[in-house]
């Protein structure tokens, strides 16, 4: 395999081409010009220039494209040459391209005043350091690997896997650098203060500068002076000018050195790309010329072939036709990929072509004179072809037909074959010719097709069942909501106050059930798509069980179920606290709901090893049979409880299993009909987290002023385009005589009303016509007249990313529709109280 790959090294590609004199002179001229410009700029490097906001995105976009295209082209060269050194260099350019992204995202004032990704004041500077120290590392590794391989490089046999591994490694390194410079930036020394370099920053950046100089020394000492090596020396020279001007000799950001250095960096990223493109054009031109020459030669060959055919036809008349045909057939048989064997009437092989060795492992010379049964044992019993020691005489029906048989390979394995057989006569002797074709790949392909079809049918059935169950579960509470709503709005049905209250209670109950179902479906969708975010931490099991006990006590007491807990207070598990509580509440609520009257639910927690903790929830219910256990964790499958008196969605146990597995644990169940069920959850154990003592918050609470007069009527502004939602909030606010509600149908009208009326609180929908709520929030915060007004988001967007985006925009609270009245008033009160305190202070 290695010998087959080495000829690629002779191809006229940039990494293997010896540098030509004119190219060497051009590279030297570029370096000298860079030095001249560098020396001319150095005296003015600290001259402060006006910050150009568009410079950084333009510069880094060009840098990203140049380095990325260069990396792709180098990966392409690597796929041909398969040199480890070239793979490392391509990864270096990919690293230089990828690291630009966190540098841009964390740059202050580019996308956010303090940068994105949780950036600190030093994040961008440290990304720059890791960026400009990382690329020389790759260059030095390239040079050292070139030197180590020497004249006989170690070629990589699977370039595709190597490229994938290199890309993943580069992405992992870039992510690690991003995390180090953002989340952990506080542990890093300060490089910049007030836009100027600190002494530590100057030392670090100077070291990075010298590190790049070391890369030039390594390149000069250890490379073979190919065209690529020479231009890498030019790149590193420009790289040194970049670091010197923009990070060592200048004073800080947006001075002349800052701009000039980045221009040198852009040139450094462009040199190899330009040379690659020029060399690609030259190679393409040579390929075009070669193609034209090949076409001319092909025409000449065709003309010569025509002449040869004419001469062969003339010679054929003078030669023995039988001899000519024999030679022609022999050539075809020797070169065909199928096995061709000739057999006499007694079943003995007369001859075989070389393909028999590829298919069955026997050299052609070894099978001559042996029985056909050695290759195809089953023919001994197949009356269509052979009987023992003789051929079937009637083969007219078999002419042109084929059948599947099993051949016996030399190593003993069975090989599926397609066999076609015909008879012929030579000098009065009857012979048989058989054509054997290996159909292993065809059989495997057909088997894979059938398997894929079976998987697709299974997935389609599962999808249909899921949609059918989800439709049923959604329509059930909707039926109650719409049915009772129609009764309430009907003028032909006289209703008493008690019936209206009863029907309204059913509507609320069904609506809450529908909301629970939607939330569980959304959670399940997040789990299945891999977007559910977990925060693993050491969690005390006893603490979570105690919270669950407080929530379950009323439900258990109402049903007469006794709760028994046996939990060691010292046990901790590695889990997401909220999701662990969700898992235990699901298991405990099921154990209470489906228990027998007067039964008990036992919750226990034990350490089964130093690494694992087991939590068990046991009930005294009716238990489950084997068929029910097999369907236990299927979505929307309530195991025959759909018509019972207990409400449920059929998703709880599915979510429980997914959550436990996402937290690195496992869940199991054992059950006996008439006895009850035991659910077992095993999670990784963890050492308890060390918490700092909380300050006494009681002392921080300031009592309200005594003798405060009754609060005046305060104004609320509700920005909502849906009339029904406006009407609902109007009815809710009507219960508060101290509040006055104003409404606006779109964001622009809402902004005008906010400036005119200065409301105490603004309720804002997110999806508004013309301008979104997030955009309106930005305008409110930018206006000094409205910046102090608390704004509460009231939206149907319930996804976590939507909530996080709006909270980052400045909303004090985020409430999702349908609203909970108690939660709404609580949020309204928390927003009004600071406004009231501010008014009192102004008095």
């Amino acid at each position: 395999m290695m010998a087959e790959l080495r000829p690629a090294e002779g191809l006229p590609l940039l990494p293997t081409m010896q540098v030509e004199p004119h190219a060497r002179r051009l590279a030297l001229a570029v370096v000298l010009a860079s030095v001249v410009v560098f020396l001319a700029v150095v005296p003015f490097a600290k001259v402060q220039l006006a910050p150009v906001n568009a410079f950084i995105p333009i510069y880094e976009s060009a840098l990203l494209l140049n380095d990325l295209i260069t990396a792709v082209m180098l990966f392409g060269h690597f796929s041909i040459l398969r040199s480890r050194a070239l793979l490392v260099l391509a990864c270096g350019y990919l690293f230089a391209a990828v690291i630009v992204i966190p540098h841009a995202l964390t740059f202050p004032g580019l996308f956010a005043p303090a940068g994105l990704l949780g950036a600190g004041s030093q994040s961008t500077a440290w990304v720059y350091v890791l960026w400009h120290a990382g690329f020389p590392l790759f260059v030095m590794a390239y040079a050292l690997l070139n030197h180590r391989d020497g004249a006989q490089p170690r070629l990589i046999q699977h370039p595709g896997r190597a490229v994938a591994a290199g890309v993943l490694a580069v992405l992992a390194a870039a992510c690690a650098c991003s995390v180090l410079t953002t989340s952990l930036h506080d542990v890093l020394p300060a490089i910049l203060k007030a836009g100027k370099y600190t002494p530590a920053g100057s030392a670090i950046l100077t070291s990075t500068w010298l590190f790049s100089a070391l890369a030039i020394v390594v390149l000069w000492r250890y490379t073979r002076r190919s065209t690529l090596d020479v231009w890498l020396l030019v790149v590193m020279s420009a790289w040194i000018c970049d670091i010197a001007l923009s990070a060592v000799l200048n004073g800080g950001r947006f001075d002349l050195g800052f701009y000039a250095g980045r221009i040198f960096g852009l040139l450094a990223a462009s040199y190899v790309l330009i040379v690659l493109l020029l060399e690609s054009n030259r190679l393409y031109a040579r390929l075009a010329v070669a193609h034209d020459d090949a076409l001319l030669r092909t025409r000449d060959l065709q003309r010569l072939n025509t002449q040869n055919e004419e001469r062969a036809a003339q010679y054929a008349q003078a030669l023995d036709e039988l001899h000519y045909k024999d030679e022609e057939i022999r050539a075809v048989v020797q070169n065909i990929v199928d096995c061709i064997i000739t057999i006499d009437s007694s079943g003995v092989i007369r001859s075989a072509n070389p393909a028999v060795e590829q298919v069955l492992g026997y050299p052609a010379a070894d099978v001559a004179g042996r029985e056909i049964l050695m290759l195809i044992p089953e023919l001994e019993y197949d009356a269509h072809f052979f009987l023992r020691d003789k051929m079937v005489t009637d083969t007219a029906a078999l002419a042109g037909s084929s059948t599947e048989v099993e051949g016996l390979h030399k190593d003993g394995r069975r090989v599926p074959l397609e066999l076609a057989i015909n008879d012929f006569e030579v000098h009065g002797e009857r012979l048989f010719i058989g054509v054997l074709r290996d159909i292993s790949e065809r059989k495997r392909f057909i088997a894979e097709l059938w398997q894929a079809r079976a998987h697709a049918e299974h997935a389609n059935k599962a999808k249909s069942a899921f949609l059918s169950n989800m439709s049923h579960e959604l329509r059930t509470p909707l039926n109650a909501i719409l049915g009772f709503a129609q009764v309430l709005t009907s003028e032909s049905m006289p209703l008493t106050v008690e019936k209206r209250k009863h029907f309204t209670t059913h509507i609320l109950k069904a609506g809450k059930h529908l909301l629970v179902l939607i939330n569980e479906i959304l959670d399940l969708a997040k789990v299945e798509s891999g977007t559910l975010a977990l925060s693993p931490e050491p969690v005390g099991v006893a603490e979570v069980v105690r919270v669950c006990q407080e929530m379950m006590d009323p439900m258990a007491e109402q049903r007469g179920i006794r709760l028994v807990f046996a939990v060691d207070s010292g046990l901790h598990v590695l889990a997401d606290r909220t999701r662990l509580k969700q898992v235990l509440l699901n298991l405990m609520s099921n154990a209470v709901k489906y228990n027998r009257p007067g039964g008990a639910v036992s919750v226990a927690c034990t350490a089964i090893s130093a690494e694992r903790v087991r939590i068990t929830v046991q009930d005294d219910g009716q238990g489950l049979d084997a068929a029910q256990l097999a369907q236990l964790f299927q979505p929307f499958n309530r195991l025959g409880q759909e018509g019972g008196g207990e409400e449920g969605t059929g998703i709880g146990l599915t979510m429980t299993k997914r959550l436990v597995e996402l937290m690195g644990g496992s869940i199991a169940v054992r059950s006996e009909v008439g006895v009850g069920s035991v659910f077992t959850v095993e999670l990784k154990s963890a050492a308890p987290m060390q918490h700092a003592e909380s300050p006494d918050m009681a002392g921080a609470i300031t009592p309200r002023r005594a003798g405060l007069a009754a609060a005046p009527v305060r104004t609320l502004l509700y920005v909502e385009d849906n009339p029904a939602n406006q009407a609902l909030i109007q009815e809710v606010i009507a219960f508060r005589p101290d509040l006055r509600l104003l409404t606006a149908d779109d964001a622009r009208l809402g902004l005008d009303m906010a400036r005119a009326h200065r409301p105490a609180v603004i309720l804002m929908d997110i999806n508004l016509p013309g301008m979104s709520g997030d955009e309106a929030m930005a305008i409110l915060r930018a206006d000094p007249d409205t910046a102090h007004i608390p704004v509460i988001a009231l939206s149907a967007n319930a996804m976590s990313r939507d909530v996080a985006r709006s909270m980052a925009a400045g909303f004090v609270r985020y409430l999702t529709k349908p609203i909970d009245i108690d939660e709404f008033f609580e949020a309204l009160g928390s927003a009004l109280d600071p406004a009231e305190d501010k008014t009192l202070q102004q008095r």
Side-chain angles (χ1 to χ4, degrees):
M1 176 65 71
M2 297 296 291
E4 296 176 359
L5 296 175
R6 284 173 186 164
E9 298 176 2
L11 294 177
L13 297 177
L14 193 67
T16 59
M17 291 172 54
Q18 290 298 320
V19 61
E20 298 177 358
H22 72 275
R24 186 182 293 109
R25 289 193 295 270
L26 177 60
L28 180 60
V30 172
V31 172
L32 293 177
S34 299
V35 171
V36 170
V37 173
F38 172 77
L39 295 176
V41 174
V42 165
F44 308 100
K46 295 184 179 182
V47 175
Q48 193 67 33
L49 301 180
V52 180
N53 294 330
F55 176 77
I56 290 298
I58 293 173
Y59 154 73
E60 297 199 334
S61 298
L63 203 63
L64 172 64
L65 288 175
N66 284 4
D67 285 336
L68 189 59
I69 295 173
T70 304
V72 171
M73 296 187 72
L74 289 176
F75 277 128
H77 283 61
F78 162 72
S79 66
I80 300 173
L81 299 177
R82 307 189 182 187
S83 164
R84 298 183 303 161
L86 194 56
L87 175 62
V88 169
L89 183 60
C91 291
Y93 269 96
L94 180 61
F95 174 79
V98 174
I99 201 67
V100 169
I101 298 174
H103 185 271
L105 293 178
T106 59
F107 199 91
L110 184 56
F111 296 103
L116 301 178
L117 301 179
S121 60
Q122 305 300 317
S123 296
T124 306
W126 272 105
V127 171
Y128 180 89
V129 169
L130 296 177
W131 171 13
H132 283 71
F135 181 73
L137 268 179
F138 284 98
V139 173
M140 287 189 283
Y142 160 78
L144 293 174
L145 285 174
N146 251 336
H147 176 72
R148 177 178 296 179
D149 289 347
Q152 294 183 346
R154 295 172 56 188
L155 304 184
I156 297 176
Q157 296 188 7
H158 302 286
R161 299 178 187 174
V163 170
V167 171
L168 291 177
V170 168
L171 294 179
C175 291
C177 292
S178 301
V179 172
L180 175 64
T181 55
T182 53
S183 301
L184 303 177
H185 71 278
D186 290 338
V187 303
L188 299 174
I191 296 178
L192 286 174
K193 283 188 178 179
K196 303 296 183 181
Y197 296 118
T198 64
S202 298
I204 292 170
L205 292 169
T206 302
S207 301
T208 305
W209 186 22
L210 297 176
F211 197 58
S212 299
L214 178 61
I216 292 183
V217 174
V218 173
L219 272 173
W220 184 264
R221 173 67 178 81
Y222 292 106
T223 56
R224 290 177 288 178
R225 304 295 193 279
S226 68
T227 303
L228 178 60
D229 300 335
V230 169
W231 283 104
L232 279 177
L233 288 169
V234 177
V235 168
M236 293 311 301
S237 300
W239 193 266
I240 289 179
C241 295
D242 173 10
I243 300 175
L245 288 174
S246 62
V248 177
L249 303 177
N250 69 327
R253 289 176 178 157
F254 299 113
D255 55 14
L256 180 59
F258 176 86
Y259 288 108
R262 276 154 176 78
I263 293 175
F264 270 107
L266 183 58
L267 291 174
S270 304
Y271 289 140
V272 171
L273 175 60
I274 293 172
V275 175
L276 283 170
L277 292 175
L278 291 176
E279 291 300 327
S280 297
N281 288 336
R282 290 179 58 189
L283 290 176
Y284 181 79
R286 293 170 61 181
L287 178 62
V289 172
H291 180 261
D292 292 339
D293 292 343
L295 289 178
L296 292 175
R297 293 180 182 180
T298 300
R299 295 191 193 101
D300 292 341
L301 289 175
Q302 289 176 346
R303 183 172 60 255
L304 292 174
N305 185 54
T306 302
Q307 296 174 357
N308 289 334
E309 288 180 353
E310 293 175 355
R311 292 173 183 175
Q314 296 172 359
Y315 293 151
Q317 296 177 359
L319 295 175
D320 185 4
E321 186 174 352
L322 180 61
H323 176 72
Y324 173 76
K325 291 296 182 183
D326 179 66
E327 291 297 328
E328 184 179 358
I329 293 172
R330 187 185 301 276
V332 172
V333 170
Q334 293 296 321
N335 291 282
I336 200 168
V337 295
D338 294 333
C339 300
I340 299 180
I341 55 178
T342 56
I343 312 159
D344 62 20
S345 58
S346 61
V348 176
I349 299 173
R350 288 285 187 89
S351 64
N353 68 334
V356 72
E357 184 173 5
Q358 297 294 327
V359 176
L360 295 172
Y362 293 96
D366 291 352
V367 300
R370 309 288 292 273
E371 289 188 352
I372 187 62
L373 300 179
M374 180 186 72
L375 301 180
I376 312 175
E378 69 182 69
L379 293 184
E380 181 179 3
Y381 310 103
D382 195 336
H384 286 289
F385 298 101
F386 301 101
L387 293 177
R388 184 64 177 170
D389 297 332
K390 65 179 181 178
M391 302 294 293
V392 174
T393 57
D394 184 13
T395 58
L398 298 175
S401 64
S402 61
T403 187
E404 291 186 10
V405 295
E406 275 194 348
L408 183 62
H409 198 274
K410 187 177 181 179
D411 59 13
R413 57 188 172 89
R414 300 282 180 170
V415 180
L417 302 171
E418 183 179 70
L419 171 63
I421 190 168
N422 266 310
D423 65 329
F424 63 98
E425 289 188 4
V426 177
H427 302 298
E429 182 182 7
R430 189 181 184 192
L431 300 176
F432 297 87
I433 183 169
V435 180
L436 297 172
R437 175 171 295 173
D438 186 355
I439 57 173
S440 302
E441 290 298 325
R442 185 199 304 174
K443 302 280 281 188
R444 186 180 301 110
F445 179 69
I446 292 174
E448 290 175 355
L449 283 180
W450 279 104
Q451 186 178 9
R453 178 180 177 182
H455 288 168
E457 291 177 349
H458 177 74
N460 191 46
K461 290 179 181 178
K463 180 188 71 174
S464 299
F466 178 83
L467 292 176
S468 176
N469 290 333
M470 187 172 70
S471 175
H472 174 269
E473 295 297 331
L474 290 172
R475 289 174 183 275
T476 299
L478 280 174
N479 180 58
I481 294 172
L482 296 176
F484 283 116
Q486 292 177 67
V487 173
L488 289 173
T489 57
S490 175
E491 297 180 356
S492 61
M493 299 181 183
L495 297 175
T496 63
V497 175
E498 290 75 11
K499 285 187 176 182
R500 288 184 180 274
K501 183 177 180 180
H502 179 67
F503 292 165
T504 304
T505 301
H506 278 291
I507 291 176
L508 289 174
K509 185 177 180 181
K512 290 180 178 179
H513 177 72
L514 183 60
L515 181 59
V516 169
L517 180 62
I518 292 173
N519 288 334
E520 290 189 348
I521 291 173
L522 291 176
D523 277 349
L524 183 60
K526 291 179 185 177
V527 171
E528 296 295 348
S529 63
T531 59
L532 182 66
L534 296 180
S535 300
E537 61 177 341
V539 178
V541 180
E543 177 186 352
V544 177
V545 170
R546 182 166 56 252
V547 174
C548 295
Q549 179 184 2
E550 294 174 356
M551 300 176 68
M552 293 303 302
D553 275 342
M555 179 179 178
E557 183 178 354
Q558 180 182 3
R559 297 165 185 259
I561 304 298
R562 184 165 49 91
L563 299 179
V564 180
F565 296 91
V567 180
D568 186 351
S569 60
L571 292 178
H572 289 72
V573 295
L574 184 64
D576 184 291
R577 183 181 301 272
T578 301
R579 297 302 179 180
L580 178 59
K581 183 174 70 173
Q582 181 180 351
V583 166
L584 295 181
L585 284 176
N586 280 341
L587 295 179
M588 293 171 65
S589 63
N590 282 349
V592 171
K593 285 194 297 184
Y594 302 114
N595 213 321
R596 60 179 174 82
V601 173
S602 301
V603 180
C605 180
T606 57
I608 59 176
S609 68
E611 294 81 19
R612 306 290 285 182
V613 173
R614 175 180 295 165
I615 304 172
T616 58
V617 179
Q618 182 174 359
D619 63 66
D620 297 337
Q622 295 299 318
L624 304 171
D625 57 29
Q628 291 174 318
L629 285 175
Q631 306 172 16
L632 186 61
F633 296 106
Q634 294 179 359
F636 296 109
N637 193 332
R638 297 191 60 201
L639 305 180
Q641 296 294 329
E642 294 83 354
E646 297 294 344
E647 287 189 351
T649 64
I651 305 179
L653 284 179
T654 304
M655 274 298 300
T656 297
K657 184 174 186 296
R658 301 288 199 279
L659 290 175
V660 171
E661 292 172 349
L662 284 177
M663 291 187 290
S666 62
I667 185 170
V669 59
R670 68 177 188 274
S671 184
E672 184 177 349
V673 177
V675 177
S677 304
V678 179
F679 285 82
T680 302
V681 174
E682 291 188 7
L683 295 169
K684 297 178 183 177
S685 61
M689 183 181 298
Q690 300 298 326
H691 295 284
E693 293 187 0
S694 301
D696 186 4
M697 297 304 295
I701 299 176
T702 304
R704 295 188 177 275
R705 300 179 183 180
L708 181 65
V713 175
R714 287 171 289 181
T715 301
L716 301 182
L717 174 60
Y718 184 28
V719 185
E720 169 65 67
D721 62 324
N722 189 300
N725 291 336
Q726 290 183 1
L728 174 62
I729 297 301
Q730 286 176 346
E731 293 297 329
V732 172
I733 296 300
F735 290 99
R736 292 282 300 267
D738 60 327
L739 299 177
R740 178 171 68 100
L741 182 67
L742 302 177
T743 59
D745 295 333
D746 58 61
R748 296 193 182 280
L749 178 58
L751 292 173
D752 294 339
M753 295 180 69
R755 297 186 184 99
H757 297 277
R758 307 288 177 83
V761 176
I762 298 175
L763 306 175
M764 179 81 70
D765 187 19
I766 300 301
N767 294 327
L768 293 169
M771 180 190 301
S772 71
D774 291 337
E775 294 171 334
M777 183 67 200
I779 297 175
L780 288 172
R781 287 292 173 260
D783 189 341
D785 294 334
T786 58
H788 66 282
I789 302 175
V791 185
I792 299 176
L794 194 59
S795 174
N797 295 339
M799 303 302 288
S800 57
R801 61 176 180 272
D802 298 324
V803 177
R805 181 171 59 250
S806 296
M807 292 300 291
F811 288 92
V812 297
R813 288 288 293 273
Y814 191 104
L815 304 179
T816 58
K817 302 173 185 176
I819 65 169
D820 182 284
I821 303 299
D822 294 335
E823 183 185 9
F824 173 75
F825 276 126
E826 184 273 329
L828 194 59
S830 64
L832 286 170
D833 285 345
E836 179 180 342
D837 291 342
K838 184 176 180 180
T839 303
L840 291 175
Q841 293 172 5
Q842 293 174 349
R843 290 180 182 177

